[in-house]
Amino acid sequence: MSKRTNGSREPLFIQLFDFLDKYQNQEDQIIAQKISGIKRSQIANIKAHLYKQLLASLRLYHRSNNIDIYLSEQLDYAYVLYDKGMYKASLEILDKAKNLAIEKKQYMVAQNMVEFEKHIESQHITGSMSAKALELDEISHYLIHRNQKSANLSSASLQLYGLYLKHGYIRNKSDYRYVTDYFDKLMPSYDLQDLDFYEKMYYFQSHVWYSNMIHDFLNYYRYAQRWVNLFLEYPAMIEKEMSSYIKGLHNVLNALFLAGKYRKFKENYQLLVNLDTQEQYQINRNVKSLLLLFENVHLINLHYMQGSFTEGLAAIPKLEQLLKTNEYNWDPHRIMVFYYKIACLYFGAGKNEECIHYLNLIINNYFPKVREDIQSFARILNLIAHFELGNELLISYQIKSVFRFLSKMNDLHEVQKEIFKFLRKTPRIQQEELDEEFRILRDKLVVIRQMPFERRPFLYLDIISWLQSRIEGVKVETVIARNFAAVQ
């Protein structure tokens, strides 16, 4: 830790820290004026030094509750002792740290430790050569096998997740063949009995992304639940990999939401919320960020399922502040999904102007190659919201640009085509004929919803409930709440 005194005066980097902590102002000109003895030309170097000191202090602070930092520190100590010629002491540290690393399934750092042990044993006479060589060779081969398998599976999981982030759900048979071929190439057959914790986790994750993309929501739920159950089988790994555990719970909740399994959804949602209150877990900033992210996502989903859209709006001001400040550094993909979900919440509550506001945050901003499906449906919902407001001239102008956007994205489904047909002819429809046109469109969409590869639009917006609400002259949330009550 840095000393706060240096003779009669504190070091400049400490003075800078105190100033920034108090005033939150990082302008060089202000800093030079307020801190005596500091020149503007020095500030960049002092800031860099302060940053290094802060990292060193944080590393020391988190050493006791972060196994990665602890193991890295032990390896550092082994190198220091080796450089001092204290070979046996170095080997003792390596042996203890290596065993702990293997116990905690940190095979990559364990392999580094074994390689260093082998180096010491091969360069110096330590009195343990013959037996130790065989032991290290055996452990080395075991760790190489584990790390290779883990690397392959983690790469497969990452690539499939990247594919999902770019495209979302499949759109047609061509997409299905492409995604399935992609998955088959990445995921050769594995015997689960031969997989360790991380390998199983990556294996289940890969199946989660694949099943979700191809609309196989039953397997999506099964593999997401296996992902969570894996942590229940290895409870010591929950705190070590809390972020992965939370993401597993998130995918279970998402699968239950898509399947409309309300009771199970609510039970698992409570598990997620309760994580923040369990004293046995260290909730760091990264974990807090994920908890807030997924609690808000699934709180909105809960209101979707119940049809309690107006009630759900009470949570929006707090969420909006989180999105505005983005103090947890949520990525553009997450923020875009929130905008769309909030827009749908306002739409369901019959507040179309607010709905359009959030949709415009998606439409008028550039989200390169991220969830193109959400970007497409934001434009569809925007047309419907303007239709609700009676903006016929605006709709006739926007239909062309939306049609071009969807054509460019190759995202024109039967649902979109039917909605376009309907909106194009609305200026010519007499008021007394409108209800019948709504019924005709509703009946067409009910048939389309049963078609393979045509379910995706209904995952983003309950268009049929919207049409029913127009026929009955009630809010969308009234129809959804009634449907929800009928199946409970």
Side-chain angles (χ1 to χ4, degrees), residues 276-316:
D276 205 4
T277 63
Q278 296 187 30
E279 294 181 359
Q280 70 266 38
Y281 300 132
Q282 295 284 336
I283 305 298
N284 59 34
R285 187 172 178 81
N286 176 52
V287 170
K288 184 68 175 178
S289 171
L290 286 174
L291 284 173
L292 277 172
L293 176 72
F294 294 136
E295 282 174 18
N296 278 287
V297 165
H298 294 297
L299 178 61
I300 295 176
N301 286 345
L302 188 66
H303 288 296
Y304 283 3
M305 296 175 85
Q306 297 172 163
S308 51
F309 291 78
T310 299
E311 181 185 334
L313 295 178
I316 298 306

Side-chain angles (χ1 to χ4, degrees), residues 313-369:
L313 295 178
I316 298 306
K318 189 174 179 181
L319 174 56
E320 189 175 43
Q321 184 62 24
L322 279 172
L323 294 172
K324 184 178 180 181
T325 60
N326 198 17
E327 60 180 292
Y328 291 100
N329 296 316
W330 290 340
D331 58 75
H333 160 242
R334 300 291 188 192
I335 292 172
M336 181 177 66
V337 170
F338 268 127
Y339 288 158
Y340 187 78
K341 283 186 170 293
I342 295 170
C344 288
L345 208 59
Y346 276 112
F347 181 76
K351 297 182 179 295
N352 292 293
E353 289 184 354
E354 291 87 345
C355 169
I356 290 169
H357 166 72
Y358 280 97
L359 293 173
N360 283 335
L361 293 176
I362 300 173
I363 295 167
N364 297 332
N365 284 284
Y366 180 56
F367 294 95
K369 298 182 179 180

